[in-house]
Amino acid sequence: HSLFHCTQEIDAPKMISSSQSSSPPQYQSYSRQYVTVGEVIGTESGFLRGHGTRAKEGKLQATVSGFVQRVNKLVSVSALNARYNGEIGDVVICRVLEVGDKRWKCDCNSRQNGVLLLSSVHLPGGVQRRRTEEDQRKMRQYFIEGDLISAEVQKIMNDGAISLHTRNLKYGKLHNGIFLSVPASLIKRCKQHFHHIAEIGLDLILGNNGYIWLQKTRRKQLVGKGFEAKQTEVLPKKKMKQSAHPDAVEGVGGGEGGEEGEDGPGSVSVRDREKMCRIRNSIVALSKMFVSIYLNTIMDVYNYSLELGLETRDIINPDLLQRVTQKAVARSRATGTASHDQASTVSDYMMED
């Protein structure tokens, strides 16, 4: 019922671009068509007007810059840097903003703050029982303002707010690692968003909302608890100075757990920090080139930077971005699906410029 309120059937002339003229009309695909604001979208008659479009003078025009998406008769435009739209089952990383009455308000990079109810958290010891007033008084013992947590989208409220839960052991508070943010449209939807890179001893969480967490593998971290063991090929590192960008280790803080470093328990050694920063800069390079971000493309940039003998800070050098990400771009073109081929299309435009 709500779909017919937010869409409108229009009659528009059939306009097919020259790049699509070689295909029969019934196989026309607009998934890779990039449009700007006010540009006429080539559609057939009898289509439904979706988000990011408007009808003017019998023509369907784009109201945002992005890629045209078509689901049956519904035509919409997905903006490149749009806010995250939650879907049930998504893995997200968020920051606690406020501790309220039986709930925490969290920043999920969405249009509205997410809500984590007290009844949706995992109690110590895995006890399954009703929450009491005593649990309400102990809410700050679980999460406080500023805490980073990993969670899963449980449901979407009627007003569009996201309801979260952390009832699984793989979710919870995050510490002793690096946090970074990228456009949510670049995160490729995969079956597994918790990755354990055994060769370099790092754990990676790719949030569907564009927030990413990177940490050193803990001693007692089990692969079965959310992290997928990935046997990736890591090239031997050439001799180079262990130097990083001054801002590259920002976000690496204290906390409980983690390997014992040079400064004692709970710290991260300089060698591990450099690995984390190299992965971090690899992700930033992919984001700057607008390439789909998932484990394979990240490791492509990581390994190729080692093969080229680049220092960690040189990965995000504007003069080297195109070169260091060329393997990831090639992979995105070869294996990208219809929805995530959009990222490789934008990177093609950037390379042509």
Side-chain angles (χ1 to χ4, degrees), residues 33 98 103 139 141 147-148 157 175 197 228 240 330:
Q33 180 184 357
E98 179 184 340
R103 67 191 61 199
M139 286 181 60
Q141 295 182 12
D147 282 349
L148 278 172
M157 303 293 189
H175 49 259
I197 311 175
E228 177 188 23
M240 60 183 70

Side-chain angles (χ1 to χ4, degrees), residues 10 50 56 58 79 81 91 108 122 124 178 180-181 190 195 209 212 236 240 255 258 261 320 322 328:
I10 65 169
K56 184 178 181 181
N81 293 320
V91 175
C108 299
H122 183 79
I178 294 179
L180 66 153
S181 175
C190 304
H195 300 286
N209 59 337
I212 299 175
M240 60 183 70
L320 300 175
Q322 182 175 339

Side-chain angles (χ1 to χ4, degrees), residues 116-127:
L116 176 62
L117 298 176
L118 178 60
S119 58
S120 301
V121 301
H122 183 79
L123 293 178
V127 181

